[in-house]
Amino acid sequence: MIELQPSEQGHEDYPFLVMQLQSLLADERDFIANAAQFSAFLFQQISDLNWAGFYLAKGDELVLGPFQGNVACVRIPFGRGVCGAAAATGKTQRVEDVHAFAGHIACDSASNSELVVPLFKDGRLFAVLDLDSPSLGRFSVADQAGIERLAEVFVELTDC
Ligand code: SME
């Protein structure tokens, strides 16, 4: 098992996190195992989060998958809230203030900003990766690029 040192607040070293994630997932391709492990990895290694995990695309809605954090809403229709917007548009949603986002679904009243990355395998959307923070404007453009890169590594190393 690799030793994980948490990042200094707001100063994530994404190239280093990519190497850590590659080594964490190197010996396993099972979806549930890797998705659970990746959620825990993000929750431990990315500072200032209150939720990190997956919603899985099933039909025309998203269904709660492996995550770390408080209990959450189970089903989200495509197009609803930040996760639904990521699924419907296929584009990462980086929201500085979730209370100003039309249709935001308040699963945890502690959340103030959110980053949701849609995940594709062979051109098909199969899930979204959702990170929530209690801080306003927690996710910078650099954080978005770093988390998108980590998500790519997860998809490459997992049977999705
Ligand atoms: N706030 C999200 C719902 C999921 S929870 O944050 C875990 C949204 O608006 O999509």
Side-chain angles (χ1 to χ4, degrees), residues 11-83:
H11 289 89
E12 281 70 23
D13 178 347
Y14 285 104
F16 182 60
L17 292 175
V18 163
M19 287 193 302
Q20 284 189 319
L21 183 63
Q22 284 167 332
S23 103
L24 189 64
L25 303 184
D27 299 329
E28 183 56 65
R29 292 197 62 89
D30 180 81
F31 179 78
I32 292 179
N34 282 6
Q37 193 78 304
F38 185 32
S39 301
F41 175 80
L42 290 168
F43 203 67
Q44 274 180 257
Q45 296 301 93
I46 308 290
S47 60
D48 201 17
L49 299 184
N50 60 306
W51 206 89
F54 290 81
Y55 278 90
L56 310 178
K58 299 205 171 160
D60 55 3
E61 57 185 4
L62 295 166
V63 182
L64 185 63
F67 71 95
Q68 295 272 309
N70 287 352
V71 294
C73 327
V74 175
R75 288 179 188 267
I76 300 177
F78 278 26
R80 270 211 64 207
V82 185
C83 291

Side-chain angles (χ1 to χ4, degrees), residues 51 55 64 70-73 76 80-85 98 101 103-108 111 114 116 130 132:
W51 206 89
Y55 278 90
L64 185 63
N70 287 352
V71 294
C73 327
I76 300 177
R80 270 211 64 207
V82 185
C83 291
V98 293
F101 189 96
H104 165 250
I105 304 162
C107 290
D108 184 342
S111 300
E114 185 159 356
V116 183
D130 182 17
D132 286 22

